[in-house]
Structures are given as structure tokens and as C-alpha cells.
Amino acid sequence: MPGRRPPEQPSVAIVTDSTATLPEGAAERWGIGVVPLDVVVDGERHVEGVDLTPDALLAALTRGAKVSTSQPSPAAFAAAYDRAAASGAREIVSMHLSGELSGTVRAAQLAAEAAPVTVHVVDSGVVAMALGFAVLDAARFSVGPPRPAAVPPAGPLAAARAWWHSRGHAEPSLPTGADVAERGRSVASSTRVWFLVDSLEHLRRGGRLSMPATAFGIVLGLRPILSLQDGALEVVEKVRTRRAARDRLVALAVADLARRPHARVAVQHLGQPEVAATLAEELAAAGGGRLVETVVCESGAVLAAHAGPGLLAIVVADA
């Protein structure tokens, strides 16, 4: 029938931005639209996740290149919403990095006003895999409970239906856009994220921290650990050495894990895969049966551009 949505397209589409740093293949697997931010290196514009690798960005930062970032335009979000609607989505949930850190969510809101279907714009209040975990959970939830453990090539909706029918049940009704948006908010609000950086100077230059907040690290040479408080970056620890700071980063995450019955963990890094893998092993040993998922991945270019060399981050979220 004309106008019917494709049979394997969930009625609620998910859109996010590239700072979510979704694991490779996850966006395609779950049908998530990703709108990229731009990174400008010495005046040359690059698209995050498309033509700028983490290694290339690290090399640029190391040589002292001038690096800045730029949020997507409302037109970029409008195009993503049009694609989702054309694929059969009746509603869209658009989840983005904290509005305290970027105007990206505002651009999404402007585009949503003229979208062909209802768009629920969510300011996650977080960034990196803290956003990524929330987006992935919302995408899984959008195909209806229960969520299959593995998703075959036929698509997430087909997998959910097959799982349900194989157990002799009628197909459940799918959640609404408001339901999916609330699910995403809930997961995002459950997350904690800690960042270890070598210097606060990059964050100060990008306007993400004030001069008073960065002064102690610059003057005293301390290793800062940061976290997100009400969507904004705050210095939460001041440690003398890199090794001590790394140990403290793990200790903060382990203490958080202990209060959760089940959790997901992500360790993100910039040019430090061995260190990140070691941290993930330490967290897995500490988390025991509470950990249902562990992700180790490089930081996205936008986060790396603001944090600078030496970035390590740990994200803990409910599962």
C-alpha cells in the first residue's frame, strides 16, 4: 500500500551526533542516523568520523596545530530527519551531547520545528560513550521488548518479532517516541564519566573551562581528573603524577560500579590502546558479574580536540 512504512523499519527512528562515538558498525546495525560535527585543523575543515582519524588529530595536536570544532547546522539535522521520515519513521528521537558543551542540541531543536514527523530532541547532558550507551539503549528499546541478544542482518525489528514469536507470544506493541526519549534520558542520567588529561590548557582555549578552574593545573603541574556535573565539565580531583591519576581514575569507576547491580563500562583513549586495555581489564576484574558490557575505543575527534593529548576516559552506565 502506498505510504506504508517498510516492514522492517521501527516506527521510531534514532538520530544522534558523532560525539557519541558509537562502536564500529553499531549505527548501521540499529539504523541510527549520525550527524557529524566538524574539526578545523590549521584552517582546514574535517568531518568527524569521516576524514580525520584519531592518529591524525593526535599528530596535529602534538605539533601544536590550531584546532577548533564546529557544531552541525540545522540543515544537516533537517536532512537526517528527512531521511528517517522517508524510510518510514513516524517519530524521531534525536539525542545529543550536553547543551552546556555545544550548541549542537539547539541546532537539532531548530531543525525539529520544520521536520516532516514529530521529533523528540533530547539534551543528554553527557558526551562520548555516556551518550553512546544512551543512544544504543534507546535504539534497542525502540524495537520493543524483549531485546534480542543478537541481531541478524534482517534488522532489529525483524529480530525482535522473531524472538517474540518463537516463544509463542503475540507481537508486542512498539513504544512511542516519548517512551523511547524517556528511556534515553534515563540511561544518560545513570551514567558517570571521568576524564584524565595531561593539561587543562586545551579545555581553557576552547572555552570549556574557566581560567580560575585551569590555573592550578597550569601553575602547579597537577594531573587533573574531570567529570560532568549538570552537563558541564568540572575538575573533581588534582593528582601529582600521571600514574597516580590513572589509579585514581580507576578507583572512582570501581567505587561507582560497586553500587550498581548491573553496568556497562567504556574506556576511551587518544593514542593509548594498551593503557586503555589494561584499565578495562582492571575494571572487569573489579566488576565481576555486574559488568554486562565493556567497550574499549578511541576518543572521537571533537572530544580529543578539546581535551588534548593524554586523554583517558572511563564511562559507567546502568545496564
Side-chain angles (χ1 to χ4, degrees):
M1 293 176 60
R4 287 190 62 186
R5 61 185 173 87
E8 306 310 336
Q9 171 68 36
S11 62
V12 180
I14 309 296
V15 173
T16 189
D17 59 75
S18 55
T19 67
T21 56
L22 297 176
E24 185 175 356
E28 294 78 11
R29 187 182 192 187
W30 290 103
I32 300 167
V34 180
V35 178
L37 277 73
D38 289 344
V39 180
V40 182
V41 181
D42 284 337
E44 184 177 351
R45 188 172 296 274
H46 300 270
V47 181
E48 181 174 35
V50 176
D51 63 351
L52 182 66
T53 66
D55 285 345
L57 179 62
L58 178 58
L61 291 169
T62 302
R63 71 170 185 267
K66 184 178 180 180
V67 180
S68 61
T69 61
S70 176
Q71 69 200 43
S73 66
F77 283 108
Y81 300 156
D82 286 345
R83 287 192 294 270
S87 296
R90 296 176 181 174
E91 295 180 87
I92 297 169
V93 172
S94 196
M95 295 186 62
H96 303 290
L97 80 157
S98 171
E100 293 290 328
L101 301 176
S102 169
T104 297
V105 71
R106 179 56 183 156
Q109 290 167 340
L110 290 172
E113 295 173 2
V117 297
T118 299
V119 180
H120 305 266
V121 179
V122 177
D123 181 345
S124 71
V126 292
V127 72
M129 271 302 295
L131 171 59
F133 280 139
V135 167
L136 287 171
D137 202 277
R140 293 164 181 152
F141 182 72
S142 72
V143 303
R147 299 196 301 271
V151 181
L157 188 56
R161 287 171 172 163
W163 195 100
W164 198 256
H165 289 305
S166 70
R167 284 152 180 78
H169 301 295
E171 182 183 321
S173 59
L174 295 178
T176 66
D179 295 332
V180 176
E182 183 54 37
R183 178 65 171 234
R185 288 190 190 94
S186 176
V187 175
S189 67
S190 82
T191 63
R192 290 296 307 277
V193 54
W194 298 271
F195 304 94
L196 171 60
V197 296
D198 280 345
S199 169
L200 296 174
E201 181 61 19
H202 291 277
L203 287 164
R204 185 192 66 79
R205 290 178 189 170
R208 267 62 184 184
L209 281 177
S210 66
M211 176 54 85
T214 60
F216 75 85
I218 295 171
V219 174
L220 300 178
L222 298 175
R223 303 290 183 173
I225 297 175
L226 302 98
S227 187
L228 286 169
Q229 305 289 343
D230 298 323
L233 284 172
E234 299 287 346
V235 178
V236 295
E237 299 274 351
K238 300 170 280 188
V239 187
R240 285 286 179 187
T241 67
R242 176 79 179 180
R243 178 66 200 190
R246 190 189 309 167
D247 290 344
R248 183 58 183 152
L249 189 72
V250 173
L252 288 167
V254 168
D256 186 80
L257 277 171
R259 69 177 179 82
R260 302 177 191 256
H262 302 287
R264 297 185 178 96
V265 164
V267 181
Q268 297 188 260
H269 66 93
L270 181 59
Q272 304 175 84
E274 297 84 3
V275 173
T278 298
L279 298 191
E281 290 172 2
E282 294 175 15
L283 292 169
R290 290 188 295 273
L291 273 185
V292 302
E293 183 179 7
T294 302
V295 176
V296 179
C297 59
E298 287 207 278
S299 162
V302 169
L303 178 61
H306 290 290
L311 170 65
L312 283 171
I314 296 178
V315 177
V316 183
D318 282 348

